[in-house]
């Protein structure tokens, strides 16, 4: 008799406790919690259940953050909230999410973001997550957030760069495996959901301990045992020797618990190397080495600039650099003497590693980390530059992101 695995949700005690934890987290004004445990702990089913319940009264986005770049991550969030947008600027996407959150909070409840594989996110995307966590309206957060990972890396959470997450964190919950008795109850329930008429007859009492041992009590592994039993087409009861065959077939996922402090880099350790650098020289002499820590960097002679080049041939607001989706874009701000890249006039251009930008008497060597794209096109797309050209945008960026001012004087 051919059977198909059912998608029935079978709770076990740790899942019930986790569900209560998530409900209490979402009811808290801070509304940010961390759920962690191995992939075979049933977190996906749990997330589906909590999301289904919350959707009855609020908007919910369930997003996989693993290895997503900032803009792609934010677009995924907006798509889950019902917006099909392809905006290139992280600032624009953050603002759109804030507007949506405020609208929802006024009409329904504050929306919820459930972020899976939190501890596999890129450092740059974690920084954007921190900005999401800081979005407020009238002293209320505009998003409730559940972070889901396969383990809890305390060193990452305690990193100074993760402070916006840490100050909102109401608690964390670690999924636990089932006991031997709970494993048997779960397995019988799964077999019944899969169409086995008399599931107890398929599992002799004498092998229950062995089943618990090979599955380590995780529901994901027990699901695989149930599938294997169903595939035997009523050749019941199963025997002890069948368990060895299951293990050799790679049915099970092992969870090697890692000590929280073991081989876990601080976020501060991994973010810094990802930053582009500007090596500024005058008449062949290096006068400054600048790391670009912000999305937008204004270069010019004015005190409003982030990188101040004190030279008569440099305009007050000469050019702006924008980091977007792993690219560094240069835009000339209608400067009097122009901007040159590798000795050629440039208005809007995607920069490549080792490009030389000339502003007045200054030469700026661009050093890009490996994570940055190397698009060969000489001109930036209009969507990359349309909304970054005004001086007011640059001033706002400097104010909002607390950019570090760099003053460079030409040697006398």
């Amino acid at each position: 008799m051919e059977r198909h695995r059912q998608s029935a949700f079978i709770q076990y005690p740790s899942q019930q406790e986790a569900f209560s934890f998530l409900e209490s987290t979402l009811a808290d004004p801070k509304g940010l919690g961390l759920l962690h445990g191995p992939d075979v702990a049933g977190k996906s089913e749990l997330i589906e259940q909590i999301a289904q319940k919350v959707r009855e009264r609020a908007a919910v986005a369930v997003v996989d953050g693993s290895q997503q770049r900032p803009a792609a991550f934010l677009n995924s969030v907006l798509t889950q909230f019902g917006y099909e947008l392809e905006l290139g600027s992280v600032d624009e996407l953050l603002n759109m999410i804030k507007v949506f959150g405020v609208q929802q909070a006024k009409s329904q409840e504050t929306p919820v973001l459930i972020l899976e594989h939190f501890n596999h996110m890129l450092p740059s995307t974690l920084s954007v997550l921190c900005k999401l966590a800081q979005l407020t309206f009238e002293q209320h957060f505009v998003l409730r957030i559940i972070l889901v990972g396969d383990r809890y890396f305390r060193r990452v959470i305690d990193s100074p760069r993760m402070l916006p997450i840490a100050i909102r964190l109401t608690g964390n919950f670690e999924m636990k495996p089932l006991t031997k008795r709970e494993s048997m109850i779960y397995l019988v329930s799964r077999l019944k959901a899969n169409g086995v008429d008399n599931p107890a007859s398929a599992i002799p009492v004498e092998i229950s301990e062995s089943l618990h041992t090979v599955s380590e009590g995780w529901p994901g592994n027990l699901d695989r045992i149930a599938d294997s039993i169903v595939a035997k087409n009523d050749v019941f009861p199963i025997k002890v020797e069948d368990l060895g065959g299951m293990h050799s077939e790679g049915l099970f996922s092992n969870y090697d618990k890692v000590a929280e402090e073991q081989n876990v880099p601080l976020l501060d350790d991994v973010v810094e190397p990802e930053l582009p650098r500007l090596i500024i020289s005058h008449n062949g002499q290096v006068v400054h080495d600048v790391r670009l820590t912000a999305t937008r960097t204004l270069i010019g002679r004015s005190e409003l600039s982030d990188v101040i080049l004190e030279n008569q041939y440099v305009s007050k607001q000469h050019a702006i650099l924008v980091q977007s989706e792993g690219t560094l874009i240069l835009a000339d701000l209608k400067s009097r003497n122009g901007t040159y890249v590798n000795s050629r006039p440039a208005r809007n251009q995607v920069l490549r590693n080792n490009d030389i930008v000339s502003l007045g008497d200054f030469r700026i060597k661009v050093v890009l980390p490996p994570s940055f794209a190397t698009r060969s096109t000489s001109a930036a797309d209009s969507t990359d530059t349309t909304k970054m050209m005004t001086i007011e945008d640059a001033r706002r960026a400097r104010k909002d992101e607390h950019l570090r001012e760099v003053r460079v004087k030409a040697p006398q």
Side-chain angles (χ1 to χ4, degrees):
M1 175 180 176
E2 184 178 353
R3 299 185 182 92
H4 299 285
R5 178 177 170 181
Q6 303 297 312
S7 59
F9 178 58
I10 301 172
Q11 277 196 344
Y12 68 98
S14 184
Q15 275 186 328
Q16 294 170 345
E17 293 173 17
F19 196 91
S20 297
F21 164 76
L22 294 177
E23 286 191 311
S24 63
T25 296
L26 295 177
D28 191 286
K30 291 183 178 180
L32 194 151
L34 176 58
L35 175 71
H36 53 105
D39 290 338
V40 288
K43 298 194 304 297
S44 296
E45 292 84 354
L46 178 62
I47 290 167
E48 182 180 339
Q49 292 298 310
I50 195 73
Q52 183 176 338
K53 182 173 182 179
V54 174
R55 283 192 181 103
E56 296 174 0
R57 59 183 190 274
V60 180
V62 181
V63 176
D64 186 344
S66 180
Q67 301 300 310
Q68 284 205 57
R69 292 196 173 277
F73 163 62
L74 294 175
N75 266 309
S76 296
V77 174
L78 281 167
T79 298
Q80 289 279 317
F81 284 147
Y83 286 83
E84 294 292 339
L85 301 174
E86 288 296 334
L87 301 178
S89 166
V90 169
D91 290 338
E92 290 170 327
L93 293 166
L94 283 168
N95 187 61
M96 180 64 72
I97 291 173
K98 180 175 181 178
V99 170
F100 175 79
V102 171
Q103 291 173 341
Q104 290 294 304
K106 286 181 176 180
S107 61
Q108 301 181 53
E109 283 191 17
T110 304
V112 175
L113 168 61
I114 300 176
L115 182 56
E116 297 187 89
H117 299 114
F118 155 72
N119 57 309
H120 294 286
M121 295 177 70
L122 296 172
S124 56
T125 311
L126 281 172
S127 296
V128 170
L129 174 63
C130 288
K131 292 182 179 181
L132 272 180
Q134 295 179 86
L135 295 178
T136 58
F137 177 72
E138 295 182 348
Q139 299 183 334
H140 295 285
F141 295 111
V142 302
L143 276 183
R144 293 173 289 170
I145 302 174
I146 298 295
L147 304 177
V148 185
D150 56 25
R151 51 178 57 91
Y152 179 27
F153 286 155
R154 182 175 295 278
R155 290 189 70 203
V156 174
I157 295 294
D158 290 345
S159 166
R161 292 180 183 267
M162 296 294 289
L163 183 60
I165 298 295
I167 62 177
R168 283 191 59 182
L169 190 63
T170 57
N172 75 91
F173 186 92
E174 181 180 5
M175 304 290 290
K176 303 293 184 183
L178 293 83
T179 65
K180 182 174 72 173
R181 181 175 180 277
E182 292 167 351
S183 294
M184 291 306 100
I185 293 173
Y186 181 94
L187 188 55
V188 167
S189 299
R190 176 61 69 192
L191 288 173
K192 190 172 183 179
N194 284 4
V196 176
D197 296 329
N198 188 8
S201 67
I203 312 171
V205 176
E206 59 268 22
I207 71 166
S208 60
E209 186 168 344
S210 298
L211 282 172
H212 180 258
T213 299
V214 298
S215 68
E216 298 180 329
W218 293 115
N221 289 338
L222 290 168
D223 288 342
R224 292 176 174 87
I225 290 176
D227 290 344
S228 180
I229 291 174
V230 170
K232 292 183 178 299
N233 294 318
D234 295 333
V235 182
F236 302 143
I238 62 171
K239 302 175 182 178
V240 175
E241 50 265 31
D242 293 331
L243 301 180
M246 294 179 189
H247 223 303
S248 64
E249 293 165 11
L251 290 174
F252 306 114
S253 299
N254 294 319
Y255 176 51
D256 299 322
K257 186 168 183 177
V258 177
E260 290 179 356
E261 303 299 321
Q262 179 183 340
N263 300 322
V264 182
L266 284 169
L267 183 60
D268 305 75
D269 298 334
V270 293
V271 171
E272 193 67 15
E274 292 292 324
L275 299 176
R277 292 166 52 212
L278 304 179
I279 301 175
I280 304 173
S281 61
H282 186 269
N283 292 335
Q285 179 182 347
V286 175
V287 292
H288 219 293
D289 190 330
V290 182
R291 288 183 179 271
L292 300 182
T293 60
T295 304
R296 304 182 185 193
T297 303
L298 179 63
I299 303 174
R301 199 176 73 247
S302 168
E303 294 290 332
L304 292 172
S305 300
D306 306 305
V307 176
I308 302 172
L309 301 181
E310 296 185 352
N311 184 270
Q312 61 179 327
Y313 300 111
V314 175
S315 298
K316 289 184 178 180
Q317 289 87 33
H318 197 110
I320 189 170
L321 294 171
V322 177
Q323 298 185 55
S324 176
E325 278 296 274
T327 59
L328 183 62
I329 304 167
L330 168 73
D332 180 84
L333 299 175
K334 299 181 180 179
S335 62
R336 182 178 60 185
N337 294 303
T339 303
Y340 295 80
V341 176
N342 301 326
S343 302
R344 295 183 178 181
R347 183 181 176 189
N348 307 320
Q349 184 161 331
V350 175
L351 296 176
R352 295 175 293 181
N353 191 39
N354 294 324
D355 276 349
I356 303 297
V357 180
S358 301
L359 288 80
D361 291 337
F362 287 93
R363 302 292 178 269
I364 302 176
K365 181 179 180 179
V366 178
V367 180
L368 298 179
S371 59
F372 271 60
T374 55
R375 285 159 56 179
S376 59
T377 179
S378 61
D381 295 337
S382 60
T383 54
D384 290 331
T385 58
T386 299
K387 297 185 179 181
M388 73 177 190
M389 295 294 293
T390 69
I391 300 301
E392 285 303 316
D393 279 347
R395 289 174 179 168
R396 274 197 302 273
R398 184 168 186 265
K399 179 181 178 182
D400 292 344
E401 301 189 29
H402 311 290
L403 303 186
R404 178 182 62 178
E405 179 184 291
V406 177
R407 184 184 300 272
V408 181
K409 293 184 179 181
Q412 302 298 322

